Amino acid sequence: MKKYLPLIIIIGAILLIGLWFMNIKNGAITINQATEKEWGNVETAYQRRNDLIGNLVNTVKGVADFEKSTLTAVVEARSKATSVNVDAKNLNANDINRFNQAQTAVNSSLSRLLVSVEKYPELKATENFKQLQDELASTENQILTARTRFNEAVQGYNTYILKIPNSWFLGEYKTKSFFTSVAGADKPVEVKF
């Protein structure tokens, strides 16, 4: 039995190191999946907004003889935004920026639409329009929450894969980019009447 003791110790050490390595890999997989899920939540919140915008545009068309250029801008921005696809497995700053810029264009055109609505009291008075406005406001809050949770998930993922000794074993895992604001978002908005 004494002659097998070194072999048993070596096999035990190899098993412990193997289990430790598996634990590190499984942790990375779990955190990576959580990050991808949160990105899916971001996309879902934006999709909800895009769906509501379609309903809003149809409501505006049906109630008022509205400026066609404003409606066209909203529809085009919404179309472009829905065509931007980002791979959740490979979240990099460029892809997130493209996605964010497309969504900013939707925000801008939607803001112009809602400002234009002020000229149409009969439209503002319709229950359907009021309900859609409330849902849009709620959706913007959901988008903020989804982006915040995504950034928290990215922070956890990046921290996990960059820590030593995890980084020694997780070379194939790349850091993910955070969802950031668009250029100029730090400046106050100028409101003109």
Side-chain angles (χ1 to χ4, degrees), residues 56 60 64 66-67 70-71 74 106-121 123-124 129 133 136 189-193:
L56 187 69
V60 170
F66 215 74
E67 292 93 354
T70 304
L71 290 174
V74 171
V106 172
N107 260 358
S108 176
S109 63
L110 184 59
S111 295
R112 284 193 308 271
L113 173 69
L114 293 176
V115 166
S116 298
V117 163
E118 295 298 318
K119 299 177 192 172
Y120 297 90
L123 175 60
K124 286 178 20 181
F129 185 78
Q133 272 190 308
L136 273 173
V189 177
E190 184 179 325
V191 179
K192 295 180 183 176
F193 292 101

Side-chain angles (χ1 to χ4, degrees), residues 143-193:
I143 289 170
L144 172 64
T145 300
R147 291 189 325 199
T148 301
R149 287 181 181 159
F150 169 74
N151 282 344
E152 290 168 354
V154 167
Q155 178 189 13
Y157 169 83
N158 288 346
T159 301
Y160 186 85
I161 67 165
L162 293 174
K163 278 185 176 179
I164 293 177
N166 298 359
S167 62
W168 297 341
F169 302 107
L170 300 173
E172 74 273 13
Y173 287 84
K174 305 295 178 220
T175 59
K176 297 185 186 292
S177 297
F178 290 96
F179 201 107
T180 58
S181 63
V182 293
D186 57 336
K187 296 184 178 41
V189 177
E190 184 179 325
V191 179
K192 295 180 183 176
F193 292 101

Side-chain angles (χ1 to χ4, degrees), residues 28-160:
I29 289 168
T30 301
I31 293 172
N32 185 47
Q33 290 297 307
T35 304
E36 290 177 19
K37 179 195 96 150
E38 291 302 336
W39 179 253
N41 291 343
V42 168
E43 290 182 321
T44 299
Y46 277 110
Q47 183 60 50
R48 181 175 192 272
R49 181 179 70 176
N50 287 335
D51 294 345
L52 286 172
I53 289 171
N55 292 338
L56 187 69
V57 167
N58 288 335
T59 301
V60 170
K61 277 183 190 176
V63 173
D65 182 22
F66 215 74
E67 292 93 354
K68 290 190 189 296
S69 63
T70 304
L71 290 174
T72 303
V74 171
V75 171
E76 286 175 1
R78 178 178 168 248
S79 176
K80 286 179 187 172
T82 57
S83 70
V84 174
N85 294 321
V86 176
D87 180 14
K89 295 187 185 318
N90 186 23
L91 292 170
N92 60 56
N94 287 340
D95 288 344
I96 291 177
N97 260 351
R98 273 189 316 111
F99 183 84
N100 204 10
Q101 287 173 346
Q103 296 302 330
T104 300
V106 172
N107 260 358
S108 176
S109 63
L110 184 59
S111 295
R112 284 193 308 271
L113 173 69
L114 293 176
V115 166
S116 298
V117 163
E118 295 298 318
K119 299 177 192 172
Y120 297 90
E122 70 278 4
L123 175 60
K124 286 178 20 181
T126 65
E127 195 58 41
N128 195 17
F129 185 78
K130 287 179 185 176
Q131 182 181 1
L132 285 168
Q133 272 190 308
D134 290 344
E135 286 200 39
L136 273 173
S138 170
T139 299
E140 291 301 326
N141 287 332
Q142 289 175 6
I143 289 170
L144 172 64
T145 300
R147 291 189 325 199
T148 301
R149 287 181 181 159
F150 169 74
N151 282 344
E152 290 168 354
V154 167
Q155 178 189 13
Y157 169 83
N158 288 346
T159 301
Y160 186 85

